[in-house]
Amino acid sequence: MNRIYDSKELNDLLGIKFLVLDKGFIEVIDYMGNDKKIVDSARTSYEEKSKRINDDNALIRYMISHYHTSPFEQNVITFRIKVPMDTWRQWIRHRTASVNEYSTRYSIAIDDKQETLFNQWRLQSKSNKQGSSGFLTYDDGYLLTKREKELHDFSKEIYKERLNKGIAREQARKDLPLSTYTIAIWTMDVHNLLHFLKLRMDNHAQYEIRQYANEIAKIVKIWLPNTWDAFENYILNSIVLSQEEIYRISNKDSIKFESNREEMEFNEKLKKLKILLSEADI
Ligand SMILES: Cc1cc2nc3c(=O)[nH]c(=O)nc-3n(C[C@H](O)[C@H](O)[C@H](O)COP(=O)(O)OP(=O)(O)OC[C@H]3O[C@@H](n4cnc5c(N)ncnc54)[C@H](O)[C@@H]3O)c2cc1C
């Protein structure tokens, strides 16, 4: 029997590995639901209201823009991912997923490490303590890449030495670098997945996890086109204005922001608004 809420587009992607970083991947291994399931679930719970919104797409846009999030929880997706442990550390902070991970207590650690090319060494940002800005010179980059290779080789040698002496895998692994890849099965509903994407596609998120989030975004766009359009419009590319920012824009008040960061972020928003205005003018 065919599934009621099927996605031919996503069926075509099942089991395909989308490569991320140098040796990572993301692969959809299962899913439940489609755009239609979201609107049907909403109509069950909001029958009175939704009578006024007959069009499926309009209903999805209404729900996303008014935070009627529970119908999006009816759809679920499962990924198999291969990801370096430092990126995984950030990823696993999203508690609303169901997770199973490759066990380095039970099995020998995956041999792959994330390697950095000579032109990929990012410099510490001066304005954002959590961020990077610009790149190291190629000459220095060559040296760091060479030193990284030495470190990876050395840690592998030590790990093997411990295993050969009969040390338990749970202890032998303790000095493996965070660049070591791990594999996990990660299942999340669409409400929480969109929240994950909002946070991890943002340019404040670290480059590496952004690469995974961008791949997931492409998959969600194919799977749930109406949901994706509404999410892009009302959440991902929207601008949130604080009360003080509204006062500043409407000249109601000449208040100063608490910090340089607030001033900087306000200016970024103004810049973005201008760009949008000028694009709309074209
Ligand atoms: C740019 C960036 C920088 C970050 N920097 C740091 C850092 O320096 N240090 C650090 O420790 N973390 C940091 N984080 C992690 C961040 O604080 C969150 O832990 C992470 O993004 C997961 O977000 P979440 O809790 O909203 O998601 P999820 O865990 O998926 O939860 C989704 C939502 O469910 C609800 N929820 C889940 N669990 C609970 C709960 N126990 N109680 C109440 N509500 C709950 C909340 O509404 C939450 O937003 C950073 C994240 C980002 C994106």
Side-chain angles (χ1 to χ4, degrees), residues 3-16:
R3 299 207 291 195
I4 300 173
Y5 297 112
D6 207 22
S7 163
K8 188 190 165 316
E9 292 73 16
L10 192 55
N11 289 345
D12 290 344
L13 300 184
L14 288 175
I16 295 176

Side-chain angles (χ1 to χ4, degrees), residues 93-96 130 188 192 195 199-200 204-205:
R93 295 297 305 278
H94 294 266
R95 297 157 290 177
T96 43
Q130 277 201 329
M188 203 177 232
N192 286 295
H195 175 68
L199 294 179
R200 300 302 178 178
H204 292 96

Side-chain angles (χ1 to χ4, degrees), residues 157-275:
E157 189 188 315
I158 298 268
Y159 180 61
K160 276 196 170 162
E161 192 177 283
R162 290 175 187 169
L163 292 178
N164 289 341
K165 293 261 183 227
I167 301 302
R169 288 185 279 270
E170 66 177 15
Q171 193 181 25
R173 66 183 175 175
K174 69 193 262 297
D175 298 308
L176 288 173
L178 283 174
S179 52
T180 307
Y181 275 91
T182 185
I183 288 181
I185 305 293
W186 192 71
T187 300
M188 203 177 232
D189 69 58
V190 168
H191 166 201
N192 286 295
L193 186 65
L194 295 179
H195 175 68
F196 171 87
L197 292 178
K198 167 75 179 155
L199 294 179
R200 300 302 178 178
M201 289 174 77
D202 190 277
N203 59 16
H204 292 96
Q206 190 171 325
Y207 170 85
E208 283 77 9
I209 197 164
R210 252 190 289 142
Q211 306 315 302
Y212 285 91
N214 290 339
E215 286 306 311
I216 294 176
K218 287 183 207 159
I219 292 166
V220 176
K221 189 173 180 172
I222 291 168
W223 177 32
L224 308 169
N226 292 349
T227 297
W228 182 261
D229 279 353
F231 169 68
E232 249 189 349
N233 183 47
Y234 287 111
I235 297 178
L236 191 64
N237 296 329
S238 68
I239 296 175
V240 176
L241 293 174
S242 68
Q243 179 176 272
E244 288 174 351
E245 287 172 332
I246 294 171
Y247 284 169
R248 282 273 288 260
I249 290 172
S250 59
N251 281 326
K252 277 194 194 137
D253 209 325
S254 57
I255 38 161
K256 285 244 174 296
F257 291 125
E258 287 287 324
S259 65
N260 285 343
R261 178 191 59 79
E262 289 182 13
E263 190 73 48
M264 229 166 66
E265 288 179 3
F266 178 60
N267 285 327
E268 274 171 25
K269 289 177 191 176
L270 287 183
K271 212 165 124 190
K272 201 169 172 187
L273 281 169
K274 262 195 211 154
I275 290 165

Side-chain angles (χ1 to χ4, degrees), residues 22-23 84 111-117 121 144-160 175-181:
D22 59 342
K23 301 180 195 84
D111 198 20
D112 290 335
K113 316 242 178 337
Q114 193 214 344
E115 292 169 14
T116 316
L117 294 176
W121 292 102
L144 290 198
T145 296
K146 182 170 162 282
R147 298 285 288 154
E148 179 186 76
K149 171 97 177 58
E150 286 166 13
L151 178 75
H152 287 175
D153 289 347
F154 187 53
S155 74
K156 183 174 170 177
E157 189 188 315
I158 298 268
Y159 180 61
K160 276 196 170 162
D175 298 308
L176 288 173
L178 283 174
S179 52
T180 307
Y181 275 91

